[in-house]
Amino acid sequence: MLGRVENHSLSRTAAFFDLDKTVIAKSSTLTFSKSFYQGGLINRRAVLRTAYAQFVFLAGGADHDQMERMREYLSALCRGWNVQQVREIVAETLHELIDPIIYDEAASLIEAHHTAGRDVVIVSTSGAEVVEPIGELLGADRVVATRMVVEDGAFTGEIEYYAYGPTKAEAIRSLADSEGYDLARCYAYSDSVTDVPMLETVGHPHAVNPDRALRREAVARDWPILSFDHPVRLKQRVPALSMPSRPALVAAAAVGAAAATAGLVWLASRRREPVIRIARF
């Protein structure tokens, strides 16, 4: 049972959550396009293109070629952006943009897993500088997320570590080794068929608001299918909950739209093997 308190004499356990369309109702990266427009980083045409990408993401109908074209476009778009300016913009708008789109059902699950003695880990293709403040807001214990390359204080458009597809499963196994998690007793949640490797890594996988392909997989494998449809502000849900201070967000937050370059499609080849970096709270 989900609510059962873990026996701490046994191996530790965790619940691994994808972020976009699993914990929050939209893409955490593409959501920031209007803020970047207002900050002068992108033009109106770019806002329209990212809005279209958000629509495609929510509809779940993008094929590999569409995702690759959008990745290339966004990579070119963010190249040269000043990292500090981006962090300031995200810090100023994180509460306004992200807090209202957190699923009440996901927040309840996170609370239930903590009550049962399990760690909660966000595993997201979105950028670490966006995912980490969201994870802290949600009370997550750790975050695994994509990291962009920065040179001379600016984004290069390249990726240092890409948390996508099989790489998510590798990160979970690595974390299990370092933290002593018994993966057969762990839980995982995602909306996308690209996360099948992550889901099949644990003993208790769940499909949340699944795309068509993941729904077929879940039915075939007899995985539970959950429907989350009630976004709610955390402050309304838990009045005592407070957002991180603005200075803390400035230090931790960063590019949403730039991270979308990593969040759209698997990069087939990399210059070097990345080192998995895990944020702990």
Side-chain angles (χ1 to χ4, degrees):
M1 296 290 292
L2 180 60
R4 180 175 59 82
V5 175
E6 295 287 346
N7 184 341
H8 292 284
S9 65
L10 303 175
S11 307
R12 299 175 62 199
T13 56
F16 301 94
F17 287 82
D18 177 44
L19 181 60
D20 299 345
K21 292 177 66 178
T22 301
V23 175
I24 65 175
K26 297 181 180 180
S27 163
S28 56
T29 56
L30 299 177
T31 296
F32 284 93
S33 63
K34 183 177 180 181
S35 297
F36 284 102
Y37 168 71
Q38 293 172 337
L41 291 177
I42 61 177
N43 58 28
R44 188 177 298 274
R45 181 180 180 184
V47 172
L48 293 175
R49 291 197 67 170
T50 52
Y52 171 73
Q54 182 78 272
F55 168 76
V56 171
F57 174 81
L58 294 175
D63 60 24
H64 177 83
D65 290 341
Q66 287 174 313
M67 299 290 264
E68 177 63 17
R69 287 194 297 269
M70 185 56 67
R71 182 202 63 80
E72 292 173 354
Y73 167 72
L74 289 172
S75 295
L77 183 69
C78 76
R79 188 176 297 121
W81 285 5
N82 180 274
V83 176
Q84 185 57 37
Q85 181 185 5
V86 172
R87 286 177 176 163
E88 291 280 352
I89 293 171
V90 172
E92 291 169 358
T93 58
L94 184 69
H95 176 77
E96 173 189 352
L97 297 178
I98 299 299
D99 190 21
I101 60 174
I102 296 171
Y103 283 122
D104 186 29
E105 298 93 336
S108 295
L109 261 180
I110 289 170
E111 291 172 354
H113 281 298
H114 273 150
T115 299
R118 303 181 189 101
D119 286 352
V120 170
V121 184
I122 303 297
V123 187
S124 175
T125 306
S126 295
E129 296 88 354
V130 167
V131 179
E132 287 171 9
I134 296 173
E136 186 174 1
L137 172 65
L138 292 166
D141 300 283
R142 292 169 183 81
V143 158
V144 176
T146 292
R147 294 185 180 275
M148 305 295 292
V149 175
V150 176
E151 292 181 359
D152 298 323
F155 292 100
T156 68
E158 297 180 336
I159 299 167
E160 176 186 357
Y161 172 72
Y162 193 34
Y164 180 88
T167 307
K168 284 188 177 184
E170 293 169 8
I172 288 173
R173 286 191 291 267
S174 176
L175 192 55
D177 288 341
S178 64
E179 300 296 329
Y181 296 140
D182 179 358
L183 289 177
R185 295 168 50 234
C186 288
Y187 293 71
Y189 302 86
S190 179
D191 71 291
S192 173
V193 71
T194 63
D195 283 337
V196 165
M198 164 180 152
L199 294 172
E200 63 188 8
T201 300
V202 302
H204 301 284
H206 295 72
V208 177
N209 298 338
D211 57 31
R212 289 188 293 269
L214 179 57
R215 183 175 293 275
R216 287 194 297 269
E217 287 284 338
V219 170
R221 298 172 185 240
D222 199 27
W223 290 346
I225 298 175
L226 307 179
S227 178
F228 293 175
D229 58 8
H230 185 206
V232 63
R233 285 185 180 273
L234 289 185
K235 281 192 174 182
Q236 293 175 347
R237 185 178 182 279
V238 185
L241 184 66
S242 62
M243 286 288 295
S245 65
R246 187 178 181 280
L249 288 176
V250 171
V255 59
T261 65
L264 293 177
V265 64
W266 171 250
L267 299 182
S269 62
R270 302 302 310 145
R271 286 183 309 184
R272 60 189 182 275
E273 290 296 323
V275 176
I276 296 174
R277 296 164 60 192
I278 298 171
R280 290 172 169 79
F281 302 120

